[in-house]
Amino acid sequence: MENFDVVVIGSGPGGYIAAIRAAQLGKKVALVEKYPTLGGTCLNVGCIPSKALLDSSEHYHNAVHRFQAHGIKIPPPELDFAQMIARKAKVVEDNCRGVEMLMKKNKITVLHGVGSFASPHQVRVEGQGDSQIVEAAHVIIATGSKPSSIPGVDIDKKRIITSTEALSLKEVPHTLLVIGGGVIGMELGTVYARLGSRVQVIEYTDTLIGAFDRALGKELQKVSRKLGMEFFLSHKVLQAAYSNVDKVQVKALDPQGQEVTFEGDYCLVAVGRRPYTQGLNLEAAGLSLDEKGFVPVDEECRTKVPHIWAIGDVVRGAMLAHKAEEEGVAVAERIAGQKPHIHYPLIPNVVYTWPEVASVGYSEEQLKAQGRAYRSGQFPFMASGRARASMDTEGFVKVLADAQSDEILGVHIIGPRAADLIGEAALAMEFKAAAEDIGRICHAHPTFSEALKEASLAASGLGALNM
Ligand code: FAD
Ligand code: NAI
């Protein structure tokens, strides 16, 4: 039986990054993955393929709707959806191969098969037709998550689908019903709206992307309507079922309690994800799950069995690739005797629609609930020269700062390149910057980042210059 210092179960962004960091720190590492390709949800059916389709569909949309205004005349563009899906598949393939190469470079042993505990220090790897047991001084559980559903909705993966199937459809739906106006609903809804689908989003709460500051959800709804997307907020879905071989009906209760019916040719169920632990045989390690199905861990990602750790979507906290990665690095460093720290409140959150949505720190609603005195400064992209030059004038930057100390407490952006702009805000907040600090830093002109400077000046009380 082969011995390892660290055995990681699951090769998503949590697992493969943990494996690399542990190997860099001199540990002998094995990575166990049940699928033939490495990279987990993120690379195979999550972040990467969804961004590939978002980018392709944005190009198509711009060619159809925006080139003319820029003075570019082309024959009406024709959609080659099969090629769009094939390009996405190639992007995924290249990324997965990249992870394979990283494993080789770092001398990590990759074991393909389902990992399960044979005992607290032994992991069984059940491959196709072979089975082996490896001994581990430390085990890191990084088995991720799967899409969840709601009562009355049976996902058959044909026309009542999850994000996984929505990333590989054979045709553009005429009408796509989306249950859930969260991150997946908005990103994949946007893809198909740009490609010409009628997209109807049915959301239980009274806001889109509920994890964000409410102002962002409101603005996203406004700009997404221009794409033709239709929103049915405060609607409780009761059932999704086939009304015909190629038609799906969704029944829901509207805000008045009346039953309403939607009909489409596909229904995307995007109501959240649940931790995935099937087949791990946690009992053999002396572990059990919490009431929501997560592997319970302390703030250092340690389970109640000291040499077994768990990270990423399978534990509490945001289900985000970069959160999983940070936990992977931190756990590998803890195993090597170091004392890393993750500042959870400063994990950024992004929606890759266009305009993009990005956020870090506290929302206005959270600050109000805390009873904290704050100042808010806002700058619209309409007033940005860079945004006018590129015709990206929708959205704004909102900076929230402590009323007394001026420390930045939250930054909320909807606008062009918000996903990249939020990095500056996260950096500033990590160093406890005041709004005035960002306001007084020289930002290149003309850039979208000037909007962050201007909103910071407004929040600090100095006042925006270009508004
Ligand atoms: P996963 O990536 O889920 O990986 C877990 C791995 O473990 C899988 O490969 C699985 O096969 C394997 N596994 C499970 N059980 C076993 C076992 N017993 N034995 C062996 N292997 C096992 N996050 C972002 O930050 N940005 C985004 O833009 C983004 N976009 C997304 C888009 C979509 C459509 C979806 C669905 C998710 C998106 N996410 C995004 C979320 C992101 O994908 C997850 O947060 C991230 O993948 C979690 O990483 P993980 O390592 O915890 O688990
Ligand atoms: P989500 O939690 O973002 O949104 C789910 C939505 O479904 C919520 O708005 C919720 O109110 C709604 N809902 C729940 N039950 C409902 C019902 N019965 N009827 C109508 N609506 C209902 O979850 P989503 O979009 O499925 O994504 C899962 C996770 O994947 C995200 O939380 C995020 O962590 C991750 N992800 C991250 C991305 C990114 O970082 N850009 C992109 C895609 C996914």
Side-chain angles (χ1 to χ4, degrees), residues 84-101:
M84 204 175 270
I85 295 287
R87 189 196 78 92
K88 176 226 61 172
K90 176 79 171 58
V91 172
V92 167
E93 196 187 315
D94 290 350
N95 274 274
C96 292
R97 202 167 304 127
V99 177
E100 255 174 59
M101 278 160 56

Side-chain angles (χ1 to χ4, degrees), residues 150 180 182-184 187 202-205 270-272 319-320 350 352:
I150 48 174
V183 195
I184 292 180
E187 287 190 357
I202 308 152
E203 163 59 43
Y204 179 67
T205 68
V271 295
M319 287 184 163
L320 295 172
V350 174
Y352 294 83

